[in-house]
Amino acid sequence: MTAATHSSSFSAAADSADAVLLGLDPEQREVATTLRGPVCVLAGAGTGKTRAITHRIAYGVRTGQLMPASVLAVTFTNRAAGEMRGRLRSLGAEGVQARTFHSAALRQLQYFWPRAVGGEVPRLLERKIQFVAEAGARCRIRLDRGELRDVTGEIEWAKVTQTVPADYPAAARKAGREAPRDMAEIAQIYGTYEQLKRDRGMIDFEDVLLLTVGILQDRHDIAEQIRAQYQHFVVDEYQDVSPLQQRLLELWLGERDSLCVVGDASQTIYSFTGATPDHLLNFRTRYPQASVVKLVRDYRSTPQVVHLANGLLNQAKGRAAEHRLELVSQREGGPDPVYAEYADEPAEAEGVARRIRDLIAAGVPAGEIAVLFRINAQSEVYEQALADAGVPYQLRGAERFFERQEVQKALLALRGTARSGGNDPLLEDLVGLGSQVRAVLSSIGWTTEPPAGSGAVRDQWESVAALVRLAEDFARGRPAATLADLVVELDERKAAQHAPTVQGVTLASLHAAKGLEWDAVFLVGLTDGMLPITYAKTDDQVEEERRLLYVGVTRARLHLTLSWALSRAPGGRASRRPSRFLNGLRPGSAAPSRPGSAGERVARPRRRRGPALCRVCGRTLTEAGELKLMRCEDCPSDMDAGLYERLREWRAAQAVRQGLPAYCVFTDKTLTAIAEASPSEAEELSMISGVGRRKFDRYGADVLAICAGQEPGGEDPDDA
């Protein structure tokens, strides 16, 4: 069992190719050493996917199989790209490009635009909502604030699915979109918005991808120049790729297949933006020769958290659910998830704030706690409750870190001191980068001790303290680093909006929490109508809401609390119900019913959830063969040899009767597991790996009869 560790972007550099592989588990090592051909990594939450793919790139560079400048690693957020660059640098793989799709495309567009189109690249429109409002006004369509946001979202969806304004109504209806206005009106606003941009010489973020795709499709010489530079591609979070991003990736690749994709269909939560897991799920169809590696060892969360996460997915339906990964926690046990019911929303917020205050008093840092909700409008009551409790907090998705006034002031002071080199008397006799940074920031009024209470003053202190912690982290990874080196690192982070962690409780929506993790997570407002949200009508939409809750659960390392309120306001009617996704998981609730098949000979119970442990030595099992036997390969067997032979004879007869190879009935490993367990009841048999629903329905009665020393029915399963 491996303890989970909090990794740093500035870990000490590996000094050789072999050192890059140290500390990887067998599956991560397989990812790192499989450098040729298409590779698909199915990676569950907390299984170390970023570690696996960065070590893969670094190992390829260290062994000379990959040239750093020929590798392009693509992910979806600036934060993730910044973290990847930091890890690659610490592993000795400097020079590898790690960017978002938009960043990589914008760089190429800026470079090739003069040659492909001529003149200056149009200016980038960073916030399109004002243009959408103006387009609505020109069409004499009045949009309130909510409609304005939603119409903007529809325009973004149309563009990433490569839908032009005239085709929007038909495409939206086909996709089952819940449009905020009449679809013909949205198409009109969309067309006017595009015209406004053209008139003013501007492009938006979706245009960056569309124009880059257009240039690469039309100019084969430019496409070949890009392909000559980038020969190996790694795509993280591949389940979130949109059709437009997939098209760009195909143009980058050309006819080659040096592609490694990483994803988890169970974490697909952005379909409303055009993202689809189909590219991940169809990877083996596109590349039949692809290597597929599954990462299921969860280093983030305790067995109790993982058990709940697996339980959520066990109730899921649809194509993504068919490819779900059963996580196996590698951590020591922790507290059980807490389920809490409150009379109303203010009581829920106050209860959460009290629990958070208790955790902080017990030693959990405020920055390692998060409150996650379905929509941003839910945050206000928690902001108030935390402020009343004197607990510092930060609202994720609010003002950007590097745009805060106190951060800009701190960066200015650090930059000025770095320019003076070793001649600044402020730094005399100070050893260590952390000490130097604290001295510089103290000179502009920052103190090493936080101010009392919460509010704006405390928030400003926490922002600057985050820079100090970043400097200390940076110095640990690069002991010889100077203040000038730190300033370069901060400038790179500012350009990429890769902010450090601020020490305050995080308030965030479930969507904004993707890719993050905390020691303690509070999932709040878990009622039907909020999760799943009211407007989730179709089966696919409801399943995406379930995946959203799964993402929230898997953000927690140790402490997990799930809560709901029976009414909105004090004294209101208690008409709300806990989220249907918790049925069968929270204490006292019934599991959701599943339709049974007519004529079943034995009722099959639900399969056990949670980590599989060796029944002999107690070790966590991950290998397929061990999971079938429910013991380590080298642990002693207690198999009933006579039962095993009777099962083999029965299997041979079944195979002849059905014209199948014997292993298609049951494999030798499964027969061994049955003979070792000698099940006497349906539930015991159903727990054995290898006895799936179909085989249980076909053969369950016969196997139980043989285990009981009786003759099997002998009936042909296909006739039954």
Side-chain angles (χ1 to χ4, degrees):
M1 186 166 292
T2 306
T5 57
H6 293 216
S7 61
S8 166
S9 297
F10 307 115
S11 53
D15 55 8
S16 68
D18 288 340
V20 169
L21 301 179
L22 294 177
L24 300 183
D25 67 31
E27 294 79 24
Q28 292 171 344
R29 191 183 183 95
E30 184 178 354
V31 173
T33 55
T34 306
L35 297 172
R36 296 299 175 190
V39 179
C40 179
V41 183
L42 301 176
T47 57
K49 65 180 179 65
T50 305
R51 179 180 177 82
I53 57 177
T54 52
H55 283 245
R56 177 184 189 270
I57 295 169
Y59 183 72
V61 169
R62 289 300 192 98
T63 57
Q65 298 180 65
L66 301 177
M67 295 297 293
S70 72
V71 180
L72 178 59
V74 188
T75 187
F76 279 80
T77 66
N78 288 319
R79 179 186 173 279
E83 181 182 354
M84 194 176 288
R85 282 194 296 272
R87 292 196 189 195
L88 289 169
R89 184 168 55 234
S90 71
L91 291 168
E94 293 187 16
V96 173
Q97 292 293 314
R99 297 183 175 276
T100 64
F101 270 103
H102 285 90
S103 172
L106 180 60
R107 203 160 179 253
Q108 293 170 14
L109 191 66
Q110 291 170 333
Y111 185 81
F112 289 110
W113 183 274
R115 175 171 148 195
V117 181
E120 293 286 324
V121 180
R123 288 180 298 133
L124 186 63
L125 176 65
E126 293 197 8
R127 292 185 174 90
K128 60 172 68 70
I129 202 161
Q130 292 177 341
F131 270 46
V132 175
E134 186 175 344
R138 289 197 176 192
C139 297
R140 298 186 177 181
I141 300 172
R142 186 172 182 177
L143 302 171
D144 63 31
R145 188 174 179 180
E147 289 175 326
L148 186 58
R149 183 187 64 246
D150 292 342
V151 169
T152 301
E154 287 302 294
I155 292 173
E156 290 172 347
W157 172 83
K159 298 187 75 167
V160 300
T161 55
Q162 302 174 76
T163 302
V164 298
D167 295 340
Y168 167 78
R173 278 192 290 270
K174 183 178 180 182
R177 304 287 293 183
E178 290 282 340
R181 294 286 299 235
D182 178 78
M183 290 182 179
E185 289 182 338
I186 295 177
Q188 186 182 0
I189 295 170
Y190 177 15
T192 306
Y193 165 80
E194 291 295 306
Q195 187 61 51
L196 273 174
K197 289 196 289 93
R198 285 193 293 271
D199 292 345
R200 297 176 188 177
M202 302 193 78
I203 58 176
D204 60 26
F205 280 105
E206 290 73 37
D207 291 328
V208 170
L209 299 182
L210 285 163
L211 290 169
T212 305
V213 165
I215 288 174
L216 296 183
Q217 286 179 158
D218 295 343
R219 293 290 300 267
H220 297 292
D221 56 327
I222 293 176
E224 288 305 318
Q225 186 173 340
I226 290 175
R227 290 168 193 160
Q229 176 176 354
Y230 295 120
Q231 298 167 26
H232 310 281
F233 296 85
V234 177
V235 184
D236 194 11
E237 303 287 4
Y238 194 54
Q239 77 279 350
D240 291 332
V241 167
S242 70
L244 180 56
Q245 290 165 333
Q246 176 65 22
R247 180 62 187 140
L248 178 59
L249 178 62
E250 291 167 358
L251 288 166
W252 283 340
L253 272 167
E255 298 300 318
R256 301 165 301 174
D257 64 0
S258 187
L259 171 65
C260 175
V261 301
V262 189
D264 178 9
S266 296
Q267 296 189 67
T268 304
I269 59 172
Y270 294 110
S271 65
F272 61 91
T273 67
T276 170
D278 288 348
H279 306 301
L280 175 67
L281 299 177
N282 295 336
F283 194 80
R284 283 293 296 273
T285 304
R286 181 184 291 265
Y287 300 106
Q289 76 280 24
S291 301
V292 178
V293 184
K294 293 183 179 180
L295 303 183
V296 297
R297 303 177 198 245
D298 188 327
Y299 297 96
R300 175 188 300 160
S301 305
T302 62
Q304 288 77 8
V305 173
V306 168
H307 177 83
L308 175 56
N310 286 336
L312 275 171
L313 291 189
N314 282 343
Q315 299 177 1
K317 305 171 186 174
R319 193 176 179 214
E322 293 171 2
H323 296 266
R324 61 180 174 265
L325 299 167
E326 187 89 2
L327 298 178
V328 181
S329 176
Q330 304 296 294
R331 293 194 59 173
E332 298 292 342
D336 287 331
V338 174
Y339 298 87
E341 182 173 280
Y342 295 90
D344 50 67
E345 287 183 5
E348 183 181 6
E350 290 166 10
V352 168
R354 283 195 303 272
R355 174 66 176 146
I356 288 174
R357 193 170 54 192
D358 292 343
L359 285 172
I360 294 173
V364 179
E368 289 294 350
I369 303 174
V371 179
L372 307 181
F373 31 75
R374 176 61 179 84
I375 59 174
N376 287 318
Q378 292 172 274
S379 75
E380 185 178 357
V381 67
Y382 291 94
E383 293 177 56
Q384 185 63 55
L386 290 172
D388 291 345
V391 175
Y393 67 86
Q394 56 170 330
L395 188 61
R396 185 164 180 81
E399 181 187 22
R400 289 181 173 181
F401 178 83
F402 288 103
E403 293 174 2
R404 298 175 188 174
Q405 186 175 1
E406 65 274 15
V407 173
Q408 292 179 346
K409 184 178 179 182
L411 291 178
L412 188 64
L414 291 170
R415 194 174 289 113
T417 306
R419 275 200 297 267
S420 67
N423 300 321
D424 194 318
L426 186 66
L427 305 183
E428 285 182 9
D429 303 323
L430 290 178
V431 178
L433 185 58
S435 299
Q436 294 176 350
V437 170
R438 282 192 292 274
V440 173
L441 298 179
S442 296
S443 71
I444 59 170
W446 184 77
T447 60
T448 55
E449 291 298 319
S454 58
V457 174
R458 178 62 182 256
D459 291 345
Q460 292 166 6
W461 184 92
E462 292 287 0
S463 296
V464 181
L467 293 176
V468 175
R469 286 190 298 275
L470 178 66
E472 291 168 345
D473 250 4
F474 188 67
R476 276 193 292 273
R478 298 176 60 182
T482 64
L483 196 58
D485 295 327
L486 175 65
V487 168
V488 171
E489 171 69 20
L490 290 172
D491 285 341
E492 289 179 357
R493 282 175 167 253
K494 181 180 179 181
Q497 287 301 325
H498 180 202
T501 302
V502 175
Q503 281 301 321
V505 173
T506 299
L507 299 179
S509 71
L510 287 162
H511 283 102
K514 180 75 165 58
L516 304 175
E517 59 187 79
W518 295 269
D519 283 345
V521 169
F522 291 80
L523 302 177
V524 300
L526 302 182
T527 59
D528 260 357
M530 188 56 74
L531 197 71
I533 199 81
T534 306
Y535 52 75
K537 304 291 187 185
T538 68
D539 288 345
D540 286 345
Q541 290 168 341
V542 170
E543 286 305 313
E544 180 145 339
E545 294 288 299
R546 188 194 307 275
R547 294 194 295 270
L548 193 56
L549 179 56
Y550 173 79
V551 166
V553 168
T554 55
R555 299 311 94 196
R557 298 190 191 107
L558 180 61
H559 303 281
L560 177 62
T561 300
L562 305 95
S563 63
W564 57 92
L566 299 179
S567 68
R568 187 182 68 82
R573 188 164 61 91
S575 57
R576 294 177 173 178
R577 294 292 177 266
S579 170
R580 72 190 74 164
F581 299 145
L582 300 180
N583 290 346
L585 300 174
R586 62 184 177 87
S589 64
S593 58
R594 288 184 179 273
S597 57
E600 284 185 332
R601 291 153 67 183
V602 182
R604 182 179 187 271
R606 200 167 62 242
R607 185 175 295 282
R608 177 201 296 133
R609 304 189 190 103
L613 305 177
C614 173
R615 54 192 168 82
V616 180
C617 69
R619 186 179 69 83
T620 299
L621 304 176
T622 58
E623 301 298 330
E626 293 179 341
L627 287 168
K628 283 186 183 293
L629 298 174
M630 289 306 293
R631 63 171 173 82
C632 305
E633 288 279 3
D634 52 358
C635 281
S637 171
D638 54 355
M639 183 179 71
D640 183 335
L643 174 57
Y644 180 75
E645 287 306 317
R646 292 196 300 276
L647 287 168
R648 279 176 58 88
E649 291 171 5
W650 165 82
R651 180 182 68 172
Q654 288 289 343
V656 170
R657 183 178 299 162
Q658 298 175 62
L660 298 171
Y663 68 81
C664 288
V665 179
F666 283 124
T667 65
D668 286 346
K669 271 283 196 312
T670 302
L671 287 189
T672 301
I674 294 171
E676 287 185 353
S678 188
S680 60
E681 297 178 357
E683 183 174 359
E684 292 177 73
L685 177 60
S686 74
M687 295 299 185
I688 296 174
S689 179
V691 184
R693 175 176 292 277
R694 183 176 60 82
K695 291 188 178 183
F696 183 92
D697 292 341
R698 280 187 153 215
Y699 308 125
D702 279 4
V703 171
L704 288 172
I706 294 169
C707 291
Q710 302 167 2
E711 287 296 318
E715 191 178 15
D716 190 321
D718 289 328
D719 295 335

